[in-house]
Amino acid sequence: MYLDHSATTPLDKNVLEEMMPYLTNHFGNASALYSQGQKAKKALDSARFTIAENIDANLDEIIFTSGATESNNLVIKGVVENFENKNVDNNIKPIIISTNIEHASILEVLKNLESQKRVKLLFLEVDEYGIVSVENFKEILEKLQKEGAIKNLVLVSCMAVNNEIGTIQPVSRVGRICRKQNIIFHIDAVQAFGKIKTSVEDWKCDLMSLSAHKCYGPKGSGVLYVKEGTEMNAQIIGGGQERSYRAGTENIANIVGMVAAFKISEKQREEEQKTYEELQIFAKNYIEKNIDFALWNGVEIGEFRVKNNINFSFSNSEKNIEISGESLLMRLDLQRVSISLGSACSAGMVAESHVLRAIGRTKIEAKTGVRITFGRSTNKEDLEIALAKIVKAVHALKK
Ligand code: PMP
């Protein structure tokens, strides 16, 4: 039972079919002028058109990358470098506002730049449900205004949906404030696409990252939306592809696959979400009924949480209950149940979750945040079997 669809999803069969010609016969380089090259270029243009249409962007605002990690790196490093180049003569540090529940591909880049003393970071608070405080954002802006430092604010970066607890963030409110004040706003929308409406127009963002493999597309493929006029320096330089923001021969098969996957996800979105909501309510009730010390992480089921996510801590400090997260995962793995502890992106390590710490969980509770995420292959019967196994394993490990 694969219950970790927020970590990745299997490749959709129809997507593979669309990719196949470009992995075999149509291998041309999209920059070449003869017909094989032009065939690739046509596929690239068509993919760009489709994704632009899906997120309400213009054709030339779409940059294809190797995934959201690259998109996020490009945004942060590119915007900072642009500021540095314009301010070489004075020693001003650019300011970035983000949140402390972002994915590692944002947080680690920010910390890295901070350790090089190249940026000043300000983090927005989240409440006990994991929702970013817009009030706190306004307060920070006012403070920067008063200090005369607002001109050094180069970027605001906030995710649309959290990858661990599935909370939907108030990005359109943040976006409207940024747009009014001419502040560059980036959204990591990796966990949003296919789950909620993802529109750069509605969200008023200047930059937005997407990843194919969370939507049944190929791994190693992503998008960066760059609003026309956004000042950002390229980080991969070479043959000038992707409007020189991201050089390198385009991976046409992956791009075609990614866009086909996005198209299917958007088409099926509303129906899928309805199915997932039923599973979500069922799974939450099942666990709460059978494990009275389980702690529900994040906001209640409803408009502020995506439908395919449930997250519980099975350690409970108040009740003095500690479960080994590693043992739980291993036990379940032996029984062919794949779930995730925190986020899967920490290279197999079980570290305490920074997201669960941010919402006020203790260190012990934050080490056993179990995330279950449904996908197209999840059905109620199998889910019930998996939940029964989870309940049994948790009770066996309880000490
Ligand atoms: N941001 C978020 C919120 C994610 O969940 C992920 C994937 N775990 C990424 C960024 C990185 O995406 P990719 O795997 O395409 O590099």
Side-chain angles (χ1 to χ4, degrees):
M1 279 238 48
Y2 183 74
L3 289 169
D4 200 12
H5 291 82
S6 286
T8 196
T9 50
L11 191 70
D12 185 304
K13 281 197 183 69
N14 296 318
V15 169
L16 177 62
E17 235 169 70
E18 297 224 17
M19 290 170 70
M20 277 315 272
Y22 299 95
L23 288 165
T24 51
N25 295 339
H26 307 323
F27 57 86
N29 184 324
S31 301
L33 296 176
Y34 42 80
S35 57
Q36 281 117 320
Q38 289 312 296
K39 185 115 197 160
K41 173 85 169 54
K42 212 170 146 202
L44 186 64
D45 289 346
S46 159
R48 207 183 301 281
F49 178 82
T50 306
I51 183 64
E53 204 179 28
N54 264 279
I55 60 168
D56 301 331
N58 295 325
L59 202 58
D60 54 5
E61 293 175 322
I62 302 295
I63 306 297
F64 293 120
T65 67
S66 69
T69 298
E70 186 191 323
S71 299
N72 289 348
N73 269 261
L74 170 54
V75 165
I76 296 170
K77 293 178 192 167
V79 168
V80 167
E81 203 180 280
N82 186 276
F83 180 91
E84 287 172 340
N85 287 355
K86 286 199 288 191
N87 290 281
V88 270
D89 296 331
N90 43 40
N91 207 11
I92 313 167
K93 257 190 224 170
I95 300 168
I96 296 180
I97 299 178
S98 190
T99 84
N100 53 3
I101 57 162
E102 296 299 309
H103 185 261
S105 55
I106 293 283
L107 285 181
E108 292 305 312
V109 185
L110 291 177
K111 282 191 224 155
N112 188 264
L113 291 178
E114 188 183 41
S115 72
Q116 295 170 23
K117 302 194 178 359
R118 289 171 61 192
V119 288
K120 183 175 179 257
L121 302 180
L122 297 169
F123 289 103
L124 299 178
E125 287 165 11
V126 294
D127 62 16
E128 64 193 289
Y129 304 107
I131 306 220
V132 168
S133 163
V134 179
E135 292 315 309
N136 182 224
F137 179 51
K138 287 185 194 160
E139 281 162 20
I140 291 180
L141 289 184
E142 267 170 37
K143 192 160 172 274
L144 290 176
Q145 208 65 274
K146 271 190 204 139
E147 291 167 355
I150 197 90
K151 60 184 185 308
N152 303 332
L153 176 60
V154 288
L155 180 69
V156 173
S157 181
C158 177
M159 62 192 348
V161 171
N162 181 264
N163 47 310
E164 293 188 34
I165 53 176
T167 42
I168 300 172
Q169 301 300 334
V171 282
S172 62
R173 290 178 65 200
V174 174
R176 260 179 278 145
I177 296 170
C178 289
R179 186 63 48 95
K180 256 193 210 152
Q181 305 201 25
N182 250 331
I183 302 162
I184 301 179
F185 179 40
H186 167 248
I187 300 178
D188 176 343
V190 168
Q191 299 285 349
F193 196 94
K195 297 179 186 117
I196 57 172
K197 172 128 180 50
T198 302
S199 158
V200 296
E201 197 50 55
D202 293 353
W203 290 349
K204 303 270 177 281
C205 60
D206 303 283
L207 298 153
M208 186 172 84
S209 309
L210 297 174
S211 176
H213 73 100
K214 312 284 181 180
C215 302
Y216 305 82
K219 291 171 184 55
S221 252
V223 166
L224 180 65
Y225 158 78
V226 184
K227 186 175 163 55
E228 213 197 318
T230 307
E231 296 195 359
M232 178 184 79
N233 286 17
Q235 298 300 303
I236 298 178
I237 296 163
Q241 292 90 344
E242 299 301 298
R243 284 170 52 225
S244 291
Y245 276 122
R246 202 277 181 185
T249 304
E250 300 88 346
N251 185 340
I252 305 295
N254 263 23
I255 291 169
V256 165
M258 166 165 63
V259 173
F262 283 153
K263 210 169 149 183
I264 298 169
S265 288
E266 181 53 23
K267 197 165 156 229
Q268 298 181 179
R269 177 168 59 85
E270 283 183 16
E271 210 170 298
E272 278 179 10
Q273 296 308 301
K274 256 188 237 150
T275 315
Y276 297 155
E277 187 163 27
E278 266 176 46
L279 298 175
Q280 190 180 39
I281 294 167
F282 171 72
K284 181 173 189 268
N285 289 343
Y286 189 101
I287 287 184
E288 283 178 343
K289 199 171 121 208
N290 290 290
I291 307 175
D292 61 2
F293 52 87
L295 298 170
W296 173 253
N297 290 319
V299 72
E300 258 311 315
I301 292 174
E303 65 174 313
F304 297 114
R305 188 173 189 125
V306 288
K307 311 294 180 199
N308 78 326
N309 168 295
I310 72 166
N311 190 312
F312 277 103
S313 285
F314 291 124
S315 292
N316 183 323
S317 298
E318 210 173 283
K319 295 193 175 166
N320 217 6
I321 293 166
E322 190 180 341
I323 304 269
S324 154
E326 290 95 335
S327 305
L328 180 61
L329 284 201
M330 269 188 278
R331 259 173 197 253
L332 292 170
D333 187 36
L334 287 173
Q335 299 181 57
R336 295 175 178 274
V337 176
S338 308
I339 52 169
S340 158
L341 210 58
S343 72
C345 302
S346 314
M349 294 173 325
V350 179
E352 65 181 49
S353 150
H354 67 286
V355 176
L356 298 187
R357 288 295 280 156
I359 63 169
R361 291 282 174 239
T362 64
K363 279 177 183 254
I364 287 168
E365 290 163 355
K367 259 194 115 177
T368 58
V370 168
R371 177 184 72 180
I372 297 174
T373 44
F374 321 127
R376 289 180 194 155
S377 64
T378 317
N379 63 54
K380 197 170 166 195
E381 292 71 42
D382 289 348
L383 180 63
E384 190 166 4
I385 296 169
L387 290 170
K389 289 181 176 178
I390 293 169
V391 167
K392 202 168 163 206
V394 169
H395 284 296
L397 290 167
K398 184 179 156 203
K399 61 170 181 170

